[in-house]
């Protein structure tokens, strides 16, 4: 996650992404961690790096070849981002029209 001025927001987004992945896949989740990676350190906006699988893991590598699995991972990422934008229990969370608008904008 981004380590600059948006660390709190990046950590929150990373946690929502991790939670979505944990609920929707059988892959082992390694949690949210901070790392001194250049692409995260050099940006001024919030950011996360989501590792969805490892090519060095035979099972993960096979899953990455499956179009259904890839589509599911993308859907879970979108779900995590939507939850970050409209947290559960917020006023927007209760509004179906706001939710529909958000889905349209994300596509």
């Amino acid at each position: 996650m981004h380590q600059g001025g948006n660390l709190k927001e990046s950590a929150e987004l990373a946690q929502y992404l991790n939670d979505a992945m944990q609920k929707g896949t059988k892959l082992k989740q390694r949690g949210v961690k901070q790392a001194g990676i250049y692409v995260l350190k050099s940006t001024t906006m919030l950011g996360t790096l989501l590792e969805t699988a490892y090519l060095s893991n035979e099972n993960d590598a096979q899953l990455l070849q499956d179009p259904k699995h890839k589509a599911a991972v993308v859907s879970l990422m979108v779900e995590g981002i939507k939850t970050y934008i409209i947290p559960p229990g917020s006023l927007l969370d209760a509004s179906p029209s706001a939710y529909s608008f958000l889905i349209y904008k994300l596509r």
Side-chain angles (χ1 to χ4, degrees):
M1 76 188 91
H2 172 60
Q3 295 184 331
N6 298 309
L7 181 59
K8 182 178 181 250
E9 293 86 358
S10 293
E12 190 176 334
L13 174 59
Q15 190 60 57
Y16 283 128
L17 288 167
N18 187 70
D19 291 348
M21 296 299 291
Q22 193 167 24
K23 290 176 190 171
T25 69
K26 295 177 183 174
L27 296 172
K28 180 180 178 182
Q29 300 302 313
R30 299 170 190 261
V32 175
K33 297 177 175 62
Q34 294 183 29
I37 299 171
Y38 178 78
V39 295
L40 297 176
K41 287 180 12 179
S42 63
T43 185
T44 57
M45 64 190 92
L46 82 147
T48 66
L49 175 66
L50 180 63
E51 295 177 333
T52 60
Y54 295 94
L55 292 174
S56 58
N57 179 302
E58 189 175 319
N59 183 50
D60 287 6
Q62 287 178 348
L63 285 172
L64 288 172
Q65 300 300 315
D66 180 4
K68 289 180 184 178
H69 175 76
K70 290 190 280 189
V73 167
V74 170
S75 293
L76 292 167
M77 287 179 188
V78 170
E79 189 63 36
I81 293 167
K82 287 189 309 190
T83 306
Y84 172 78
I85 294 170
I86 302 177
S90 71
L91 291 176
L92 288 175
D93 185 41
S95 169
S97 61
Y99 190 70
S100 297
F101 175 74
L102 176 63
I103 291 172
Y104 173 77
K105 293 301 270 184
L106 287 173
R107 289 183 182 182

